[in-house]
């Protein structure tokens, strides 16, 4: 049933994208069988997820086959002088291996082994397809939402002291080193999620089954629900609405520049001068820049990584904390988000995560109250940003603490409801067997 629903969703997105003359997620994924993939790292991360169902010998064979295919395609591209400037020169091999394992599951496996291998392939492909689906969603938002609500969000952000303007000045001051370091962290968020997911799924090959809940599920649900909010509350971000767009980072970025958008900006203010408080109204923007700010899904995904890394070893917990802090710095410092976006992203994630855990372990009154209250807080935030931004900017010492308290209340509710439930349902650790006590030696008879 889940597979049928996912396929129907992908077909619907493909049709919607075609109406605007854009390639859909199915077309974009099919091209990467031969052409240079947009993200080779993501394809190998997807293959790593798939390999949780394989034995160690099968994993070595899969990795070797993927590298071999990439080397062959690399030689072919070099021979025909194919351009890979818009993608990575590797990654096709990982996709070939995942597709090959799907064929093996259908033709060479039966029963539970077939189902397990197909689940592994599906897990790897769904990560990659999720990225393609997100890209298509972003293109659709730019085509279908010509008016953006940045003035409302920027006005409401005065309640928090305009943190994006402060972070933008700090990142600009760090120059190319600071920008590109944060850019790598920001761009490889899915790879960080795979590392945490691999730890959670490390016993699948031995137990021959998947755990009830893991990080990939949360990632997918966030990616499916988040773009729907983009359509309701289209926002492009301060660097675009109040700055020069991607041109602000052109001198320090290692990546290819995007089309200029300065002519669509309300004013060239970011990150030096916060916008003045006035009566906000929708403003038109180009048909290229995604309306992907409200809520901040990068913050949502980084928060999910942080939550799921809490049960890992110390190194994994430190890594989850680092990725969350670095992602928050990047989302604000790059000018991609306002501060209020981040608060909405945290509340959104905790509500989704609580609902998924309760769906897996069973609903009760406290859990239902948590999910309902989290959804109510999230809706209240969106309504406040839209209809009370002037009041929020006029009384920042009232609304700023209220925003932080609303987020803290959801965090506290999650920690007080879900964490004790997880601890009570976790299997008890078996004590180590102790050797049988030996009788004391008796003295030898004289």
């Amino acid at each position: 049933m889940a597979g049928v629903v996912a396929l129907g969703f992908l077909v619907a997105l493909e049709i919607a994208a075609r109406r605007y003359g854009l390639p859909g997620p199915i077309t974009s994924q099919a091209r990467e069988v031969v052409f240079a993939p947009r993200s080779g790292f993501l394809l190998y991360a997807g293959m790593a997820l798939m390999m949780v169902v394989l034995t160690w010998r099968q994993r070595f064979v899969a990795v070797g086959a993927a590298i071999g295919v990439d080397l062959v395609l690399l030689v072919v591209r070099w021979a025909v002088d194919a351009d890979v400037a818009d993608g990575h020169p590797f990654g096709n091999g990982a996709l070939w291996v995942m597709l090959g394992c799907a064929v093996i599951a259908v033709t060479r496996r039966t029963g539970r082994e077939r189902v397990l291998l197909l689940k592994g392939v599906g897990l790897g492909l769904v990560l990659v397809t999720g990225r393609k689906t997100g890209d298509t969603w972003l293109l659709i938002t730019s085509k279908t939402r010509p008016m953006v609500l940045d003035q409302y969000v920027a006005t409401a952000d005065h309640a928090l002291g305009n943190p994006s303007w402060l972070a933008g000045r700090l990142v600009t001051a760090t120059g190319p080193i600071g920008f590109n370091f944060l850019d790598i962290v920001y761009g490889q968020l899915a790879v960080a999620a795979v590392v945490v997911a691999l730890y959670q799924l490390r016993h699948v090959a031995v137990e021959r089954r998947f755990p009830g809940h893991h990080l990939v599920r949360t990632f997918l649900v966030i990616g499916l629900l988040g773009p729907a909010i983009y359509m309701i509350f289209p926002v492009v971000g301060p660097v675009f609405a109040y700055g020069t767009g991607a041109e602000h980072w052109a001198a320090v970025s290692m990546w290819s520049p995007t089309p200029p958008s300065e002519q669509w900006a309300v004013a060239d203010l970011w990150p030096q001068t916060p916008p003045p408080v006035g009566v906000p109204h929708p403003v038109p923007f180009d048909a290229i820049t995604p309306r992907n700010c409200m809520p901040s899904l990068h913050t949502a995904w980084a928060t999910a990584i942080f939550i799921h890394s809490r049960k890992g070893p110390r190194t994994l917990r430190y890594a989850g904390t680092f990725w969350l802090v670095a992602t928050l710095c990047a989302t604000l410092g790059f000018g991609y988000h306002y501060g209020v976006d981040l608060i909405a992203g945290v509340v959104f994630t905790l509500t989704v995560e609580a609902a998924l855990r309760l769906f897996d372990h069973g609903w009760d009154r406290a859990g239902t109250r948590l999910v309902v209250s989290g959804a109510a807080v999230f809706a209240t935030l969106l309504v406040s940003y839209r209809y009370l931004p002037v009041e929020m900017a006029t009384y920042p010492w009232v609304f700023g603490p209220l925003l932080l308290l609303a987020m803290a209340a959801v965090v506290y509710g999650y920690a007080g409801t879900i964490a004790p439930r997880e601890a009570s349902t976790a299997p008890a650790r078996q004590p180590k067997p102790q050797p049988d006590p030996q009788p004391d030696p008796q003295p030898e008879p004289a």
Side-chain angles (χ1 to χ4, degrees), residues 254-345:
M254 296 187 299
W255 316 116
S256 57
T258 57
S261 61
E262 183 178 1
Q263 65 272 24
W264 294 93
V266 176
D268 186 5
L269 301 176
W270 191 89
Q272 301 301 327
T273 307
V277 178
V279 179
H281 56 85
V283 295
F285 213 80
D286 65 24
I288 299 174
T289 306
R291 280 67 163 146
N292 63 338
C293 280
M294 183 60 69
S296 169
L297 290 198
H298 262 78
T299 299
W301 282 318
T303 303
I305 291 174
F306 174 81
I307 293 172
H308 282 263
S309 65
R310 293 307 88 193
K311 291 188 176 181
R314 181 180 299 177
T315 303
L316 193 65
R317 296 198 303 270
Y318 286 165
T321 304
F322 161 77
W323 223 274
L324 175 61
V325 174
T327 300
L328 295 179
C329 293
T331 54
L332 289 174
F334 292 167
Y336 295 161
H337 289 280
Y338 304 89
V340 292
D341 303 345
L342 275 59
I343 291 179

Side-chain angles (χ1 to χ4, degrees), residues 54-232:
L54 304 181
T55 64
W56 278 108
R57 178 180 177 276
Q58 292 168 340
R59 291 170 185 172
F60 284 124
V61 172
V63 172
I67 295 175
V69 170
D70 275 337
L71 289 176
V72 171
L73 291 179
L74 184 64
V75 172
V76 171
R77 291 187 184 116
W78 173 78
V80 300
D81 196 23
D83 183 20
V84 295
D86 294 332
H88 289 163
F90 61 90
N92 305 89
L95 181 58
W96 282 37
V97 167
M98 286 189 282
L99 297 176
C101 286
V103 173
I104 292 173
V106 174
T107 60
R108 303 290 297 274
R109 297 287 189 270
T110 59
R112 292 180 60 187
E113 290 299 313
R114 171 186 289 177
V115 172
L116 185 68
L117 184 54
L118 285 176
K119 283 185 176 180
V121 173
L123 190 67
L125 288 178
V126 82
L127 178 72
V128 180
T129 306
R131 171 69 175 270
K132 302 300 179 186
T133 301
D135 292 343
T136 303
W137 261 119
L138 297 183
L139 290 172
I140 291 176
T141 63
S142 64
K143 300 294 183 181
T144 60
R145 293 297 181 267
M147 308 296 286
V148 298
L149 305 179
D150 280 78
Q151 286 196 5
Y152 295 86
V153 184
T155 303
D157 214 38
H158 281 274
L160 299 175
N162 305 106
S164 180
W165 268 257
L166 174 60
R169 291 195 295 270
L170 292 175
V171 174
T172 302
T174 63
I177 296 177
F179 171 82
N180 287 292
F181 173 77
L182 288 177
D183 196 35
I184 292 172
V185 174
Y186 188 84
Q188 301 303 323
L189 188 65
V191 178
V194 168
V195 173
V196 177
L198 287 177
Y199 175 80
Q200 294 179 320
L201 304 175
R202 65 194 184 281
H203 298 311
V204 171
V206 176
E207 298 176 354
R208 312 308 292 168
R209 63 181 180 86
F210 281 88
H213 180 62
H214 49 82
L215 178 59
V216 179
R217 293 177 64 191
T218 306
F219 247 64
L220 292 176
V221 174
I222 289 174
L224 288 175
L225 296 179
I229 312 300
Y230 293 165
M231 303 291 286
I232 299 172

